Amino acid sequence: MKSIILKTASTYLLPLLLLFAVFILLRGHYNPGGGFVGGLIASIAFVLHAFAHGLVETKKMLRFVPSACIPVGLAISLISGFVPMAIGRPFMSGEWLSVQVPIIGSIGTPLFFDIGVFLVVIGITLTILFTISDGIL
Amino acid sequence: MIDILIMIISTVGALVVLIAAIGIVRMPDFYLRLSVTVKAATLGVGLLLLSAAVYFATLPVATKVFAITFFLILTAPVAGHMIGRAAYITGTKLWKHSVVDDLEGKYDKDTLELRSDIDQADREGELPASNT
Amino acid sequence: MNLRDYLTWVILPMLSLSVILVAYRFFKGPRIVNRVIALDLLITIGIGIITIFSIQANQATFLDDAMILALIAFLGTVAFSYYLEKRKGND
Amino acid sequence: MIKQLLLNIMLTLVWVMLTGEFVFGNFVLGFVLSYGILWLISIQEERKRYFTRVPAIISFGFFFLYELLKANLQVAYDVITPRLFVKPGIVQYPLDAQTDLEITFLTNFISLTPGTLILDVSGDRKVVYIHVMYLEDKEAFIRQLKNGLEKRLLDILR
Amino acid sequence: MELLLLILIGVFYATGIFMMLRRSMVKLLIGIILLGNGANLLIFLLGGITRGKPPIIPEAEKALTGAYADPVPQALILTAIVISFGLQSFAIVLLKRVHVLIQSDDLNDLNTPDTSI
Amino acid sequence: MTDQYLLLPVLGHLTIAIALIFCWRRILVQQIISVAGNLLVLIMSIALFHKTWHQGHLTLQAGNWQAPFGITFVSDTFSATMLLLTAFTGLAVSMYSTVGISKNRIQYGYFPILHFLLVGLNGAFLAGDIFNLYVWFEVIIISSFVLMTLGGKKPQVEGGIKYVTLNLLASVMFLTAIAILYGLTGSLNMADLSLKMSGVSNRGLADIAGLLFFIGFGIKSAVFPLYFWLPSSYHTPPSAVAAVFGGLLTKVGIYALIRVYTLIFIPDDFTRTVFLIIASLTLLTGALGALIKENMRTLFSYLIVCHIGYLLGGLGLYTHLALAGTIFYLVHDVIVKTNLFLITGLVNKIRGTMNTEQQGGLYDQYPRLSILMAIVLFSLVGIPPLSGFWPKINLFRESMAYHAWYLLVAMILASFVTLFVIARLWGNVFWKKAPALESSPPDSFAGLSKGRKFMLVTPVVMLVLLSLYIGFFAERINVLSDRIAHELLDPAPYIKSVLGPDAVPATQTR
Amino acid sequence: MLIAVLLGFVFAPLWNLLGRWIKGSFSWLPALLPAGLFLYFASLYPVTQNGPLLTSTPWIPSMGVNLDFRLDGLSLLFALLITGIGTGVFIYASYYLKGHRHLDRFFAYISFFMASMLGVVLADNLLLLIIFWELTSISSYFLIGFDHEAAKSRRNALQALVITGLGGFLLLAGFVLIGTVAESFSIAQLLGTAGSLQNHPLYGWMLALVCAGAFTKSAQFPFHFWLPGAMAAPTPVSAYLHSATMVKAGVYLLARFTPMLGGTDYWQYTLISFGGITMLYSAFHAMHRKDLKEILAYSTVAALGMLVFLLGIGTQQALLAAGVFILTHALYKATLFLVAGMLDHETGTRHIEKLRGLRKVMWPVAIAGGIAALSSAGVPLTYGFIGKDLIYDATLKAINWPWVLTAVALVTNILVLYAGFQAGIRPFTGPLPDHHRTLHLPNARLWLPACVLALLCLAFGILPALTNGLAGAVASAIANTPVDAHLAIWHGFNTVLALSGLTLLAGFLLYGWFAPPEGKLQQRWEHLSPESLYRKAGQGFTWFAGKYTRLLHNGNLRSYVFSIITFIILLLGTKILTGVHLYFDRRAVVGGLRLYDVVIFVVTLAAIWKSISTNSRITAVASLGVVGYCICLLFVIYSAPDLAMTQFTIDTLTVVLFVLVLFRLPRFLRINDKLWQDGILAALFGGLISLIALGALNEPTTKETSEFYAENAYLLAKGKNIVNVMLVDFRGFDTMIEITVLSIAALGVYSLMKLRISSDNKE
Ligand code: NA
Ligand code: NA
């Protein structure tokens, strides 16, 4: 859709939404949010961009193929589950570092797991939507 | 005291929202309804949010309220523009008592390219620089 | 009348009434464009309801939901507009 | 380059405000995050003199609020009284604003003001089409907008 | 509210099935979505509903006390919603593919594999 | 007893699947990883079976959260056996797929999704949490959707719509059942549910919850009158895919049904009667359908439906012997049905058609292959002492003891029709001379290189050897089934292994 | 004994491996197998005189199936027949099928069959017996269909398998029933407790099921027709399976079960009536056939009927007669088959009108045929005479209606004589047609086995006492009590002798004067024959199967959904009506209602209604959006902020998804039929679910898991949003799988949209 207004708005909305997505991801452990919603918001940001600028532009802007997020995210989640096994605890046991980080709270395997979820959700949403809209957006 | 303030703000907000709601029912054509809703709701909800900010009176809540309002202000006009334009393109009629319709016939039927009709002579010479 | 009661018996009914009115427009239409703006307005009023509800329940957490609604509702309208332009009014 | 930096700092601030924790670590985190995001989406256009005129902004804010209230009351009055006073129409409005950002700002503010709504911008960016609820005189309306909102806005943006 | 939710759940299931019984593929899909919503609400209702007490531990405390909503159904529904999203996306695309192949929205046109020997 | 490595067969497949996505377009690499990975998982599954056999119930509390607060995985003999069968099937299908699946499909994710399917199956067999089971089922159905429609040919997607719709309906019913169950007990852990169910005062509602599970799993296992999706779709995907489907997908439904109806619910008389009647009708419906089909795979699809009746019937009889018979039949059926679809693929490769009327002459052209196939076909019929024969003894016996004469008649009729259609098939496909058609497609098997032929035939041989083993070493399988039936009917060890030795199951009359 | 049985199975694949030699000059090699086994069993003869020889090897003890074998008189007789005639047939076949490209396969099948048959007669365990029983059916299937490119062979093989297979399954059911009742599958144990089954309430079923197995296998009317059809097999097969051995498995079975199930009125009436009808029916048919093998087939059926008939009479004389007649019939019928095969092989036809005067070119064959025919007629000095004597002796001494039974036997014997002469004598008498003058005597491997068998007919006929021991042992085994046999040619002038004379006289007259018109009988009664009735029943069944299958599985998804939902409603409805207590607790269900609850409820209902009633797809999608947002609001109000977020984002994305796909699709189909039917069904379903939910709502539940999470989410899992902690930690595994589901869906969408397979047959 050739709308200057939408284009401009989405250009500025994109970083805001992405930042917001990461925010939602990281605070999930303490407040509503988490990897899912975070991932969905991030993908919505890109989808909006694609509506405004066309799919080709959005793909050009992205430094990665969205579907690559899927295996990477899955691998991160899976590895965060394997880590406890390496020290002899059951799969997916929560292992925490002692340092505290603002917003996020403690750093531990569940956090990495959630980051994996985040990536997978971005990957799948974008793969699905971009595949469907290939040639029409 | 704070409670009274909250009550006032929220009442005004709710009233604005209610008026927008009445407006969307009462207005005779699509464009008028759109016109009423976009901002009335934004203003009304902004006031309701403000009352929340006053009530909680913490920085995180204030930030959130600011962010929500900011998003609404940023997106509501754009959304109005998008749907209004789509409505016009798809042939939504103006109210029969409308005064003027400068848009009539300005959309190219196939490409949906919108013409401006001013400076017809100039157009040949200087094409817009940043046309994507 | 304390704040909570006021919200419960005055503000929320007002907003509920607004919802009913907007919903009426949604169901009456005519045509999709009217429904889309009604839908948009419904969501906006929803943000208001959530806000008031968060005061009433003393749970700032719900404002997060309001934030998400504010952010994302836009995409729906854009999508509908897109559809309409592509279909040129053919439902 | 400077624009990127500014945008970056701005995003960092938004982050800190959103999270509400004024700790050094949070600034760093916010900076890193926004840096990453900006890197990811690299916006090409360069723009000069980003925001300098703070007073103009404040004055514009008051002006806008005034317009907002005035028009809102008008609409509200119309909606709740039995008779409709509306005289709607779509007006072609020639733009002085040139860049995408200017156009977008202008149109958004026009739309936010009750009674007016931008329907579209022409392909050559010369005019916008505005839906007006109370259109008594087309030329007067255009003039009023030119000297009011658009002028003030462009003062800030340029 | 429980009563209203009970009715709503019944309506979701009923309309979901009703739409699955239409001949249109798009309606079929709508039916599936309605059914999914019904199932989610059912879990929500039967887990016990509580107004205004989200299962989030307040800032200053270390455990949740007093009345609060049961987090278990919420976690289940969340998983279910996301899964349905995946399945529905696939179904929508499948629909599109079928339409490309048979140029019809009519489910009755879909019986090649059943009636072929 | 706790076992940290319980989940290895699941995680193994998951890791392989992810690794396969990383090498998205590299066909050869994918083939190697897949076959090697399946071999690895087979070894893991054997190890798990061995350990379970010798040490009894193994449990894993994921995330180290004590049951019922976290997600529990349990390996009892039943699970371990199913895992083992899945591993054999997986290996066979993976090998077959290296040649049997076209390059296009491999380039578009065939192998990762096959492994995802195996992840789902293995997970479902190990799940000790009812909602977790639901999620595994979703993995299974979504990967089967994708495998079903991969390639996007017209009959594929047409069948796919039906498959997807009815399976989604099944998922909704499953979810509904979980909702009711949670509403009644407030728990999701199956061992915990087993304890809490006895405390539910409204027995009728508990039975209703059970019946909802029956409907959900019944659709997945294709019992009458919930089977429609199966004959609509199973003949449309490639043979290798149909082989996994035919071998395992309906069985996982039966597995879940057996699991919930031994651990959580105890079928009352009403439910048992329903099972028996449904089983009989399933047998008849499948048999009648098979009787009139000329397409090999459609015919086999109906036979899948038909033979599910034996399994459900055994559950409905609900005695030790009947359950043992059911398990035996399950073991046999997984191996044979998988192989059946693999040989269908071979026949299709040779003759270029699935229609039995247009086939023929295989016996003359490929006598050894034909004998191999004959063993599969006659195992399916249950010609003694091949694998399908043994379980019928127990099932016949118990249906007589329970005076379920209609079930007995249905079982005999189903056996008879199976014999008839298989013999007719043999006559048409193997004995008859191939009809000389102008446009008969070329034999795409003969032209393959030795190595590729090897990859196609070895899985069939492996599975044939397995079914011969099941037939001739029926004692082993019978002891296994017996032990599984015993474990199923006495859930106390299961519950104790999950919830700790203090958990005391209420004495239940079974 | 185990090894003896298994040898055949071992050698079967071996012949295949040795194919090249077998097809070459070593085609006699396989005959060593039956010959060796014959000698082995013959050597065991003295041992069996002291009682049955039992061996046992464990196989599947947990199911009570062991490799138990017993060798008593009955088994021995059959074992000797199987191996003895087997030797002859192997030798015969080695020349008969010389140069056949699948000779190795033939020997493989027939060795396999021989082993199975040995298994049947030697098994001392019911389940073991049924295993071998089924194997004989299967190997018979392969042998009948040996010439598998001929449609007729395939059809007849299938027909035989269908009949015997059905019998096999019924027999299995019968055995399982007997085994369940008697708590043992061991024949030895069953014989030990003989007499107990007859009084069991389910005796009738046992009898019916065992008879079903026996009658189908032994071709009793009305299941007989597969046997003439089985003549499509090569002649050695007919001689071996379908006259001498396999068809007698049913007889063997009845004989074996005589002590366990016999002795009752049911037993007598069943066996006598089936046997009697079979005898008369098929003997009559044999007379009207012109094809050598068909004549022999029908006379075989008659003989089988006779055997069943005798077992039905059940007296000691009858059992003795049966034992002797088994041997008699095997000897002469095998001979006649071999002769018929030679004639077919040499002349190329089996039509008896075209075969005349062949004694001039193949005299040894003529002698063998003649002797066999005389034996079948029961002419003195042949073994058939002894058999016939015993039969009349048995019928005359029957307990009920001796004269009726005797008359039946008499008529049958006369007709059988006619058939025997038609097959064994007619082709050799009369003038030799010109076109047969070039024929010459076939290889000795063809005629020698026939001659040996014929000589045995003669030898036993002259010295019947030779078989006293065996016959006695057989009768003892059948009767389960010691029976002495005193076989002799001369018993003095008595009724039996008179009957024998009458048989011969009437038979000769019939042979001399009567020539039935060809095919007339078949044409007239064809539509009523069991075979055509069977075909019609089969067609009817298939027709029904087609109707039924297409009715249910009609290709319309909505009808599938309709059936499924109907089933659910019926199932759950029945259960609710019969056994569920539901009540309505007003406080728990209605309490605490707010205005906005009602508003949300009403708007949701209206949106649902809109989404199902609208004719515009995009309106339906928008309505779905409203539904979703209302649910989202519900989630907020009822304390599920995370759910609300997710629901909202996903609903928006679904709208986007729909929109992207929808505008390429056609409009909604306007056909909207069956509204009421579907509406009522859907309403019932929804009501049912609500009702169940109501029930569950009223049940009190414990919340120990939620309490655990509330207490420990922060302390142990370091998070305050319990739902999120559950998702990433407590129940993190669900999430792990869930993202897997999403990934698969994405891959699926990708491949569905991008992959196109062009070729039709590519998999
Ligand atoms: Na007014
Ligand atoms: Na409850």
Side-chain angles (χ1 to χ4, degrees), chain E residues 46, chain F residues 183, chain G residues 696-697 699 701:
Chain E
L46 293 185
Chain G
L697 198 62
E699 281 294 304
T701 44

Side-chain angles (χ1 to χ4, degrees), chain E residues 116-117, chain F residues 293-298 344 347-348 351-360 425 428-429 432 435 437:
Chain E
S116 68
I117 40 143
Chain F
K293 293 294 172 186
E294 284 176 2
N295 180 304
M296 268 175 106
R297 284 207 303 193
T298 321
T344 315
V347 172
N348 186 44
R351 284 288 172 263
T353 172
M354 293 280 185
N355 190 322
T356 50
E357 292 301 313
Q358 291 161 24
Q359 290 168 338
L425 180 92
N428 269 334
V429 179
K432 187 184 68 191
L437 295 175

